[in-house]
Amino acid sequence: MKFDIDALKHHQLVEGGQLEGYYIHQPAKGSQQNDKAVLLERQALEKMGYKVVQVQAKGRTTTFAEAMQDLVKKTGHQRK
């Protein structure tokens, strides 16, 4: 299977800040962490050496900022 990192459907690259370089998957309707397509994409990213993190939505919606705050707490990254 050929993997095109520029055509990700379930993960988003964090391009700045403390978590630059991480890929996150935020569960949404139709894109849960245990879905086959999500798992294949995550495994391909990990094989390529990328860090992939799962964030859990609060309630029905989560803003990107809320997801990033949760990720910072989980990974232990602190502001400098």
Side-chain angles (χ1 to χ4, degrees):
M1 178 179 136
K2 190 170 182 174
F3 183 75
D4 182 5
I5 197 163
D6 295 322
L8 295 175
K9 294 182 180 180
H10 306 285
H11 295 83
Q12 178 179 352
L13 176 63
V14 179
E15 295 182 357
Q18 302 160 4
L19 300 172
E20 185 173 356
Y22 278 81
Y23 279 87
I24 63 169
H25 171 252
Q26 181 176 328
K29 188 173 183 177
S31 180
Q32 297 301 314
Q33 68 180 353
N34 59 352
D35 290 344
K36 186 177 181 179
V38 175
L39 290 172
L40 290 172
E41 194 172 274
R42 181 183 314 137
Q43 289 168 351
L45 286 167
E46 289 171 343
K47 283 181 182 178
M48 294 172 70
Y50 292 103
K51 298 174 188 173
V52 182
V53 179
Q54 175 75 30
V55 294
Q56 201 63 16
K58 291 184 342 185
R60 294 184 181 263
T61 61
T62 298
T63 65
F64 182 74
E66 289 171 333
M68 293 307 297
Q69 287 173 357
D70 186 43
L71 184 56
V72 167
K73 288 177 190 174
K74 287 180 181 180
T75 60
H77 285 261
Q78 298 294 324
R79 287 189 161 200
K80 293 181 180 181

